[in-house]
Amino acid sequence: MKLQEALRKVIRQFGVSVIQEKKLQEALRKVIRQFGVSVIQEKKLISFLADYKAFEDYPAMRDVMKAIVMGEYAKELCRCAIEASDEEYQRFAGRLKESLVREQSFRQEFADYAVDSISFALGIGASVTVTEPDDHGFEAVQKNAGGQGRRRAQSGSGAQGGGSTYGGTSQRQAPSQRRRRSLSGVFASVPDGADSHRHFYRGEDITAAFDDGSFSASVADGTFYDIFPGDYIRKTITVPGVANTGTSTYEVKFVIADLDAAMNHGSPSVTTHHAVIVPETPVFDTYMNPTDTNAGGYAGSYMHRTVMPAFALGLIGAFGTEHLLKCSFDGSGRSSDPLSCTCRLMTLSMVFGQTLPSSGFDWSYYIKDKCMGGEQLAAFSLHPELRGQNMWYWVSDVYSGSSSYSAKVTDFGDGVCAYAIDASDADGGVRPFALLV
């Protein structure tokens, strides 16, 4: 995501005042709430904080934050924030402060301010007190360090190989304990409900939660407790043979793409709380139609009439029919056919939103499919990598530029974009969504 696009999303979410934020801890909290905990280990975090004027009062903090982001510190911070208990996180935070002072030669007050600001932003530990430094200067290193600490911070090498100082391994906990611990971080402060949870990307394995019934209970009551976009459920599915593919079994990582996104849409209208699931990558390849035609649109395609019912059988075998909502979104009126209504190809809008990437075709080439209101799925907005780097797959919009082409999402190496290809191309990826309860 380009910086300007990311800033626009943050401003829409939190208001113009966010770009005037000068306190490091407040700027960090707003960025993490928008982009998820993983943003801590991304270089663009420094640019975000600079644009929010987080370094204006304490310019020396840029070097300290860069040292945390550039090395292994950030990776371990993310792990602790998502998986560890408050106690383990606090122990690591203490070791991190010591390492910043001893190995990076940063002054104690700056090391404390950086780490405590991150802890505050993550919502970890009710007792965290953020004390701002007395020094408003540019020099973050200790006076007797001869500038060595700053050079290490800029190169990012100071954190490499230092795991014994600030890291360490933790004993693997039971899945239920990990789920409880995850809510002790930034996610613990998120109010219950789809409208709140769908603004936060997490990326945690919740297979055990689905298997033990806690996932379905949290969906059914509408709280979506411990469920966020980016979380995923691993399942083995067996799909009967379609096109040139015989009956095959696949290991699939189903990502939570959104929450209650289909509410009040479809036929019959969806009124049940649900999570939208999408395979992380295409499951297999086949054609949209056996011949090069898009006549009849998606509803009349071989993909919808034959491939989707076969895929639905795989979903039913993996999740159980009681956990899959049946609903028609294609306007074909085939709601009496449960298999045709269990899963469906995504639309361009669900992947990209209302603006298509400039590297591909624009909307003038398509008849837009307004499935589920034509809105972008939350996970695809929060984590653009899900849109399809290094892959291509079919979508359901009708390509209007040629009667022999069908719409697709592809990556030509310069970015994921909307395009089209012969409907009979058997290399097209199949990546349907379904509604899980």
Side-chain angles (χ1 to χ4, degrees):
M1 179 184 293
K2 294 181 179 179
L3 177 60
Q4 60 267 34
E5 294 174 351
L7 282 172
R8 187 181 300 115
K9 288 172 64 65
V10 174
I11 292 170
R12 287 177 178 175
Q13 178 73 13
F14 299 107
V16 176
S17 61
V18 70
I19 63 174
Q20 301 173 333
E21 185 57 66
K22 293 184 179 181
K23 292 186 182 297
L24 176 63
Q25 62 269 33
E26 293 291 349
L28 276 166
R29 181 165 61 177
K30 289 172 180 177
V31 173
I32 290 172
R33 285 183 175 179
Q34 177 67 17
F35 298 104
V37 174
S38 62
V39 75
I40 297 173
Q41 57 187 333
E42 298 180 22
K43 294 180 181 179
K44 63 184 179 182
L45 174 64
I46 305 302
S47 297
F48 287 159
L49 295 176
D51 280 288
Y52 303 156
K53 304 185 185 299
F55 304 128
E56 187 168 293
D57 285 347
Y58 301 100
M61 293 307 301
R62 181 190 294 270
D63 285 344
V64 186
M65 292 301 301
K66 186 181 294 185
I68 293 174
V69 171
M70 297 285 284
E72 292 297 317
Y73 302 115
K75 182 178 179 180
E76 184 65 8
L77 269 176
C78 288
R79 186 199 69 78
C80 287
I82 294 174
E83 298 181 2
S85 64
D86 276 7
E87 291 74 16
E88 182 181 349
Y89 176 91
Q90 295 293 3
R91 287 194 297 271
F92 169 72
R95 294 193 297 271
L96 173 53
K97 292 178 183 178
E98 293 176 5
S99 185
L100 288 170
V101 173
R102 183 171 59 253
E103 297 183 3
Q104 298 287 318
S105 300
F106 288 121
R107 293 164 59 179
Q108 186 70 58
E109 61 178 330
F110 291 129
D112 290 346
Y113 184 42
V115 178
D116 290 342
S117 291
I118 293 174
S119 300
F120 171 87
L122 292 170
I124 296 177
S127 60
V128 172
T129 300
V130 181
T131 302
E132 297 178 13
D134 293 327
D135 191 336
H136 292 262
F138 288 83
E139 188 58 65
V141 299
Q142 303 168 40
K143 291 183 179 180
N144 61 356
Q148 186 178 12
R150 172 173 287 186
R151 288 195 295 274
R152 284 200 295 266
Q154 290 173 337
S155 67
S157 61
Q160 303 298 328
S164 60
T165 302
Y166 56 84
T169 58
S170 60
Q171 185 176 1
R172 188 171 180 83
Q173 304 292 326
S176 60
Q177 291 177 305
R178 289 201 302 276
R179 291 196 298 276
R180 286 196 297 270
R181 285 205 306 270
S182 69
L183 289 182
S184 67
V186 65
F187 305 101
S189 62
V190 181
D192 286 342
D195 288 343
S196 299
H197 282 219
R198 66 189 303 271
H199 292 292
F200 295 83
Y201 187 94
R202 186 170 65 171
E204 184 173 338
D205 188 342
I206 58 171
T207 306
F210 178 81
D211 291 343
D212 67 21
S214 57
F215 171 92
S216 295
S218 296
V219 172
D221 64 18
T223 63
F224 292 96
Y225 178 81
D226 207 6
I227 304 170
F228 293 87
D231 291 351
Y232 57 90
I233 300 170
R234 295 186 182 274
K235 287 293 180 181
T236 300
I237 68 170
T238 299
V239 181
V242 293
N244 299 321
T245 303
T247 297
S248 301
T249 299
Y250 308 91
E251 300 294 327
V252 183
K253 182 177 177 181
F254 289 95
V255 177
I256 305 298
D258 213 332
L259 306 171
D260 276 358
M263 193 68 77
N264 301 318
H265 294 291
S267 175
S269 182
V270 175
T271 57
T272 303
H273 292 298
H274 59 273
V276 181
I277 58 171
V278 176
E280 184 181 45
T281 61
V283 180
F284 56 85
D285 297 337
T286 190
Y287 44 69
M288 179 69 76
N289 277 313
T291 58
D292 288 333
T293 178
N294 56 27
Y298 174 68
S301 68
Y302 174 86
M303 178 69 69
H304 177 63
R305 292 179 174 274
T306 302
V307 179
M308 288 300 102
F311 198 94
L313 289 173
L315 290 175
I316 291 170
F319 290 99
T321 186
E322 70 277 13
H323 291 291
L324 296 161
L325 290 184
K326 315 301 192 294
C327 183
S328 174
F329 294 103
D330 54 47
S332 65
R334 300 178 67 205
S335 58
S336 60
D337 179 358
L339 293 182
S340 70
C341 302
T342 298
C343 56
R344 184 193 197 279
L345 289 189
M346 292 185 289
T347 69
L348 288 172
S349 295
M350 293 170 73
V351 176
F352 296 113
Q354 299 305 308
T355 302
L356 297 182
S358 58
S359 54
F361 293 156
D362 60 32
W363 280 117
S364 65
Y365 287 88
Y366 305 98
I367 300 174
K368 184 184 294 187
D369 187 333
K370 297 182 180 180
C371 172
M372 297 200 315
E375 297 299 322
Q376 186 179 26
L377 294 174
F380 287 76
S381 172
L382 297 169
H383 195 67
E385 288 82 357
L386 280 176
R387 298 173 188 174
Q389 291 182 331
N390 301 315
M391 67 180 84
W392 83 264
Y393 53 92
W394 299 110
V395 288
S396 62
D397 302 78
V398 175
Y399 181 70
S400 59
S402 168
S403 61
S404 62
Y405 278 16
S406 287
K408 67 172 183 174
V409 171
T410 193
D411 183 359
F412 289 117
D414 58 349
V416 182
C417 65
Y419 212 67
I421 200 168
D422 293 333
S424 64
D425 193 316
D427 293 328
V430 177
R431 196 184 182 193
F433 75 88
L435 307 182
L436 192 64
V437 297

